[in-house]
Amino acid sequence: MARKEKPVFTPPPQELRRKAVNFKKGFGLKLMPDEQRRLEEVVEKATDAFTKDVAERLRRLRAALDDVASGNDRADLAMRAIRSLSLDIKGMGGMFKYPLLTAFAKSLNDFTKDMGLPGPRQLDIIAAQIDALYVVMARRITGDGGPTERELLAALKQATARYKRS
C-alpha cells in the first residue's frame, strides 16, 4: 500500500495580495458599512438595467418557443437559444435578489439541456416555465416567493422529471 503524503499549502506571496486588493482605489478584504452601502447603491442602480435585460431575454425566449412550436426550419436553432437564454437568466437572478427567477430558469435549462425537439407536453412545460419567469419579473418577486411559488416550482420539477426525454 502506497503511503500518501500530506499536501503542503504555501501561502500566496504578498505581491498577489497587493494585486488582488487595491487599497488606494478599491475595497479592502472586509467591507466597511459605507463601502457596503456604496456597493448596494450600484446594484440598485443596475436593477433597472437588469429588469430591461431580463425582459428582452424573456421576449427572445418566447419567440424561440414559437419557432420550436411551429416546427419551422429554425426549430433546432431556437432550442439552442432556449437553452442559452435560460442559462443566462439563471446566472443573473441571484445577484439582484431574485433567487426564484434563478430557480425557474435552472428548471427550464435542466429540462431542455439534452433535449432534441420537444413533443407537445414538453412544449407545454417549457411554456409554463417561461410564464413563471414572466410572473416573477412582472410581480418583482424577490426572495423565495411564497407558498404558491414554491408549489409551482415543485410541480414544474415533477413535470420535468416525468416528461424529460433526450
Side-chain angles (χ1 to χ4, degrees), residues 16-33:
L16 280 178
R17 181 180 167 143
R18 188 186 62 73
K19 286 181 180 178
V21 182
N22 182 341
F23 291 106
K24 292 181 182 174
K25 295 181 185 173
F27 299 102
L29 291 176
K30 184 170 182 174
L31 294 176
M32 303 307 289

Side-chain angles (χ1 to χ4, degrees), residues 62-152:
R62 181 70 68 203
L65 178 64
D66 291 344
D67 282 346
V68 172
S70 69
N72 67 29
D73 58 343
R74 298 183 308 243
D76 286 326
L77 184 61
M79 277 305 293
R80 281 185 274 177
I82 288 171
R83 287 188 285 274
S84 176
L85 290 165
S86 63
L87 189 61
D88 291 346
I89 294 169
K90 172 188 164 195
M92 298 165 68
M95 182 174 176
F96 292 93
K97 300 179 183 173
Y98 282 87
L100 194 58
L101 186 76
T102 295
F104 283 124
K106 179 182 179 341
S107 176
L108 175 58
N109 185 263
D110 290 348
F111 184 58
T112 60
K113 186 181 281 182
D114 299 319
M115 181 181 289
L117 292 178
R121 285 196 177 152
Q122 292 168 319
L123 279 171
D124 289 342
I125 293 168
I126 293 169
Q129 291 169 320
I130 294 171
D131 290 345
L133 291 167
Y134 268 102
V135 169
V136 169
M137 290 308 298
R139 300 229 173 149
R140 297 186 184 270
I141 303 172
T142 57
D144 293 333
T148 303
E149 291 81 8
R150 286 190 291 276
E151 286 176 27
L152 176 59

